[in-house]
Amino acid sequence: MAMVEERAIDRSQMKVSDEVAIEITGMNKWYGTFHVLRDINLTVQRGERIVICGPSGSGKSTLIRCINALEEHQQGSITVDGTLLSNDLKNIDKIRSEVGMCFQHFNLFPHLTILENCTLAPIWVRKTPKKEAEETAMYFLEKVKIPEQADKYPGQLSGGQQQRVAIARSLCMRPRIMLFDEPTSALDPEMIKEVLDTMIALAEEGMTMLCVTHEMGFARQVANRVIFMDAGQIVEQNEPEPFFTNPQSERTKLFLSQILGH
Amino acid sequence: MSDMNANRAFVRSDMLPEQAPPALETGVVKWLRENLFSSWINTILTLVSFALIYWVAQIIVPWAVFGIWDAGSLTECRAIRDELYGVSDGHGGGVACWAVIAERWPQIIFGFYPSDLYWRPILAFALFWVAITPVLFEGAPRQLLVVTVAFPFVAVALLWGNVGGPIAVALGFALGWAIYKFATPAIGQLAGTIATIVVPILYWILLSGYIGDGLSAILPGLEPVGSSRFGGFLLALVIGISCIVLSLPIGIMLALARQSDLFIINKSAVVFIEVFRGVPMIVWLFSASLLLGYFLPEGMDPDDLVRVIILITLFSAAYIAEVIRGGLAALPRGQYEGADSLGLDYWQSMRLIILPQALKISIPGIVSTFIGLFKDTTLVVFIGLLDPLKGLSDAIRATTEWNGIYWELFIFSGAIFFIFCFGMSQYSQYLERKLATDRR
């Protein structure tokens, strides 16, 4: 599974500060009568790179989707950047504009060009002048190494390129936190690396990141904490080195043996 | 066995270059063989079809082409025909009597609109094309939108000769805009928005009638023409265009309301849509002409034509709402989530992300509904308005000269309807091609 080449990672900017970015306490969520998330407690410091893994249906995607209120939680509290998540729409929109998100299926807007995809939210949510928004968009498109695609439509790009555009689109809002929901799961093996490289570059700049992913190579290299979830609960969390070499829970051992064993 | 295994190992030393497809037989012969004569059964079907087409054409084409254009009445027409082509036995061998069209076409187009005032509907029709150009075609100069905004008021003034009324109604919009612009900062967003909507409506109900009459008395006016003089394609186009233009925004709002999580809004939309769609159009037309007067406040008694426009608009808005709801449902959830995750609020995500895509998917359905609506305008004959198909052709047949003529009138009206409907269909295909950005 280690798709990422072992390259030297510049850790000079990767600093975990004492400031709390996300605080989740006693959070529970149900789909109808099905208890998807059970008593989640998680504190994320600014600058942390957290990888969340676990078998499918374990609630890991649901967890990060609760952070920007794409899913509602029924019990407990979520505080993002000091703002308590409530039902107030203004409050939700504010949190969403501070938290970037990348999806498994990219969710680019197919009727807009790449550039328009990137400038839309800054122009309408942040009220940035169009010219300035375009300059920002080009800056981030260069960062993800596809400035030459700016005038194309999403349908004309490969999966890896589309996911990099999706990352650039989120970055244009200058988020302080980035959520990744299985960003490489829908990609061909050849394209996974280009997306992971982009994510590593982002981590090197000190971005606070929560990634749901099965890329264990990425977790080893970049994460400062790995969380293993099963049946809607956090089963084990640790720094990557002890997590992979010396897992404590039987469930974690089984999971790791299944995804690393071949 | 070992030999075979040895043969299986293989390494390609050089990659194959791209090549042109093999030169099969191309052009007309290939097309004919593939499409018309690909098998014995197809060949037989092709020949039978050709025979059928020939049989129909050899009846219709001479009838239409050798038709008589110059005659004063149907009797005269028949006399000329007998003289030219020999006495007919009444079956086959006849020719069309286009003379009725040559003589009465202004009536089919304008109904009983005063003939010295024909320039007014013609001017309104010409302005209509100028007004919709910037809406239909992106490349058109944006300045034309001024015409688009002014057109509804100018058209009413031209068609009915009522100058004061449209100005008084337009003042209501200006009033709303002024409240939004100047009062909202003072009294807050919510109160400002409510006032922007409520004050103009009160103005329209209570004041605009008197102001309109007053303005008409002062301003140099056009000669008034009552709705009862409207007929033929003038009537069909006035109803059709008004209803198409009004029902699209209402339909969009209804579709969004039906998708809404807010219980009251959702259920109101469901009831509205199901009631308007579930009752035949003719019932609505009768209620337009008979019942609406009871429900509307005293003094607000629009004429038959306005009532018909209101009812047909609501009827087709219900259909449009369902077509657009289909488009909304066809969008992947990810589009809503993508918009949400960027912090766009509800109206922004609808306007910028969801509706552009949902409407694009719905184009064929929307245009179909509009084509149906335009043809359904002929149903107004049931409440005594002079539609081009039955109302006017009956009126023409009621004269002694043209008593007994059917086909020529129906074909003429049918052809005009076809031109408009085919035009709409072609435009929708153009739009679909233009908006197809999500394909490679």
Side-chain angles (χ1 to χ4, degrees):
Chain A
M1 286 301 275
M3 282 294 173
V4 189
E5 276 172 48
E6 300 286 331
R7 72 150 156 117
I9 293 199
D10 172 15
R11 294 181 181 272
S12 58
Q13 303 288 315
M14 289 189 183
K15 290 194 195 88
V16 177
S17 79
D18 291 340
E19 198 188 334
V20 174
I22 302 171
E23 171 111 59
I24 302 174
T25 45
M27 197 251 280
N28 279 282
K29 175 174 174 57
W30 288 264
Y31 284 128
T33 56
F34 176 56
H35 200 171
V36 247
L37 290 177
R38 307 179 191 177
D39 190 33
I40 304 287
N41 291 287
L42 178 66
T43 305
V44 181
Q45 251 102 27
R46 184 156 315 291
E48 278 204 275
R49 289 98 36 211
I50 296 179
V51 163
I52 305 173
C53 59
S56 66
S58 60
K60 47 196 193 309
S61 286
T62 314
L63 171 61
I64 68 163
R65 288 158 61 87
C66 281
I67 293 171
N68 66 352
L70 285 182
E71 305 276 357
E72 259 180 287
H73 60 283
Q74 279 88 34
Q75 266 180 15
S77 71
I78 300 178
T79 310
V80 181
D81 257 342
T83 315
L84 180 72
L85 195 58
S86 68
N87 281 330
D88 180 19
L89 288 177
K90 284 257 180 325
N91 176 325
I92 290 177
D93 285 337
K94 181 177 175 296
I95 288 178
R96 283 173 177 167
S97 65
E98 303 291 337
V99 178
M101 179 150 193
C102 290
F103 300 87
Q104 181 176 1
H105 296 288
F106 332 133
N107 296 356
L108 293 177
F109 306 129
H111 63 302
L112 300 176
T113 63
I114 299 307
L115 190 64
E116 287 165 342
N117 264 279
C118 293
T119 57
L120 185 99
I123 289 175
W124 291 95
V125 180
R126 293 252 192 271
K127 314 289 178 207
T128 315
K130 187 169 182 243
K131 198 164 173 314
E132 199 186 316
E134 284 178 352
E135 281 164 11
T136 312
M138 288 312 294
Y139 170 78
F140 283 112
L141 286 174
E142 257 158 55
K143 267 218 130 99
V144 301
K145 304 196 177 70
I146 31 177
E148 71 282 359
Q149 312 282 6
D151 294 324
K152 290 196 182 161
Y153 286 93
Q156 296 167 301
L157 269 55
S158 73
Q161 289 174 322
Q162 289 192 48
Q163 192 60 291
R164 285 185 284 152
V165 171
I167 294 172
R169 180 176 74 172
S170 297
L171 293 178
C172 285
M173 288 293 280
R174 308 273 186 187
R176 307 187 68 189
I177 301 165
M178 283 289 291
L179 309 174
F180 292 87
D181 187 0
E182 307 207 18
T184 55
S185 302
L187 297 178
D188 289 342
E190 282 183 279
M191 292 168 184
I192 291 177
K193 185 181 175 306
E194 62 188 53
V195 171
L196 289 180
D197 280 345
T198 310
M199 291 168 64
I200 291 170
L202 205 55
E204 284 174 337
E205 287 171 16
M207 176 67 79
T208 310
M209 295 164 73
L210 270 82
C211 314
V212 172
T213 182
H214 294 124
E215 297 301 329
M216 292 303 138
F218 174 78
R220 260 181 224 271
Q221 277 193 86
V222 179
N224 69 315
R225 183 147 53 123
V226 182
I227 294 178
F228 173 70
M229 286 184 74
D230 189 27
Q233 34 220 307
I234 295 177
V235 173
E236 184 164 352
Q237 53 173 317
N238 209 338
E239 288 175 15
E241 188 52 35
F243 178 87
F244 288 112
T245 50
N246 187 20
Q248 301 298 310
S249 143
E250 285 306 314
R251 189 66 194 86
T252 315
K253 284 178 194 162
L254 180 66
F255 176 75
L256 287 177
S257 73
Q258 272 165 347
I259 65 166
L260 299 174
H262 56 85
Chain B
M1 284 302 279
S2 60
D3 281 345
M4 284 175 75
N5 275 338
N7 286 339
R8 273 187 203 150
F10 168 73
V11 177
R12 183 174 290 286
S13 53
D14 44 7
M15 302 298 274
L16 296 175
E18 202 172 342
Q19 286 182 340
L24 281 168
E25 68 279 58
T26 50
V28 184
V29 179
K30 174 180 148 84
W31 185 90
L32 282 176
R33 243 183 39 186
E34 281 186 357
N35 292 290
L36 299 180
F37 305 105
S38 62
S39 70
W40 276 113
I41 292 182
N42 274 3
T43 307
I44 292 166
L45 286 176
T46 300
L47 294 176
V48 170
S49 307
F50 278 139
L52 213 65
I53 292 167
Y54 172 78
W55 181 70
V56 173
Q58 56 94 23
I59 298 172
I60 290 176
V61 172
W63 179 84
V65 169
F66 300 117
I68 291 148
W69 285 91
D70 193 16
S73 70
L74 187 57
T75 332
E76 210 176 303
C77 234
R78 287 191 175 137
I80 296 172
R81 178 192 65 190
D82 293 347
E83 194 179 310
L84 283 177
Y85 305 111
V87 180
S88 156
D89 56 1
H91 298 283
V95 292
C97 181
W98 297 119
V100 67
I101 308 297
E103 196 187 288
R104 294 303 186 99
W105 68 266
Q107 215 175 6
I108 298 172
I109 306 287
F110 297 103
F112 292 99
Y113 206 89
S115 56
D116 55 329
L117 300 178
Y118 279 172
W119 65 272
R120 276 160 42 177
I122 292 171
L123 179 59
F125 191 60
L127 281 176
F128 166 72
W129 290 108
V130 180
I132 61 161
T133 308
V135 181
L136 297 186
F137 302 102
E138 220 177 347
R142 294 288 96 183
Q143 294 88 329
L144 284 180
L145 283 170
V146 179
V147 183
T148 311
V149 173
F151 174 75
F153 307 104
V154 176
V156 170
L158 278 173
L159 291 172
W160 281 272
N162 176 352
V163 180
I167 295 178
V169 172
L171 281 176
F173 286 105
L175 188 65
W177 175 82
I179 290 171
Y180 187 77
K181 181 93 179 166
F182 299 112
T184 309
I187 59 177
Q189 186 69 41
L190 182 69
T193 310
I194 293 172
T196 304
I197 297 167
V198 173
V199 174
I201 291 177
L202 286 177
Y203 161 82
W204 282 321
I205 294 176
L206 301 173
L207 278 177
S208 77
Y210 302 109
I211 292 181
D213 291 345
L215 283 171
S216 295
I218 304 166
L219 293 170
L222 295 162
E223 191 184 320
V225 179
S227 292
S228 56
R229 313 286 300 265
F230 285 50
F233 281 97
L234 175 58
L235 185 74
L237 284 170
V238 166
I239 298 174
I241 292 170
S242 315
C243 294
I244 285 173
V245 170
L246 293 171
S247 67
L248 186 60
I250 298 177
I252 292 173
M253 296 315 290
L254 280 172
L256 292 179
R258 196 169 183 170
Q259 289 252 307
S260 166
D261 295 331
L262 305 169
F263 183 81
I264 301 286
I265 290 181
N266 179 312
K267 292 298 172 241
S268 317
V270 171
V271 169
F272 180 95
I273 290 169
E274 296 303 340
V275 167
F276 266 92
R277 215 169 43 142
V279 175
M281 167 97 104
I282 298 186
V283 173
W284 290 122
L285 289 175
F286 280 128
S287 54
S289 82
L290 300 172
L291 292 175
L292 212 55
Y294 296 119
F295 295 121
L296 290 171
E298 190 84 19
M300 205 185 148
D301 193 20
D303 69 19
D304 260 9
L305 188 51
V306 176
R307 297 178 193 195
V308 162
I309 289 174
I310 293 173
L311 264 297
I312 298 183
T313 298
L314 297 180
F315 184 83
S316 87
Y319 274 88
I320 296 285
E322 286 299 276
V323 170
I324 293 174
R325 192 167 69 98
L328 289 171
L331 282 191
R333 262 214 73 65
Q335 290 296 307
Y336 293 86
E337 290 178 351
D340 283 349
S341 73
L342 288 169
L344 296 170
D345 66 30
Y346 175 81
W347 290 108
Q348 287 170 340
S349 65
M350 286 301 137
R351 196 164 67 80
L352 301 166
I353 308 298
I354 306 301
L355 281 176
Q357 297 183 65
L359 290 176
K360 192 190 97 187
I361 300 172
S362 318
I363 288 171
I366 292 174
V367 173
S368 243
T369 310
F370 284 162
I371 287 175
L373 181 156
F374 184 53
K375 292 183 298 182
D376 282 352
T377 59
T378 52
L379 293 175
V380 297
V381 71
F382 285 106
I383 56 165
L385 299 183
L386 292 169
D387 80 298
L389 272 185
K390 174 135 178 76
L392 270 172
S393 69
D394 277 357
I396 290 170
R397 272 191 296 278
T399 58
T400 42
E401 294 94 339
W402 301 111
N403 193 356
I405 194 150
Y406 287 92
W407 283 101
E408 291 81 350
L409 292 170
F410 288 143
I411 287 172
F412 180 67
S413 293
I416 294 181
F417 269 114
F418 177 79
I419 289 168
F420 280 105
C421 295
F422 187 66
M424 282 193 256
S425 156
Q426 289 301 104
Y427 176 74
S428 92
Q429 283 174 38
Y430 154 81
L431 206 56
E432 278 177 67
R433 278 195 304 274
K434 197 187 79 162
L435 297 178
T437 56
D438 47 355
R439 271 170 231 135
R440 273 156 204 271

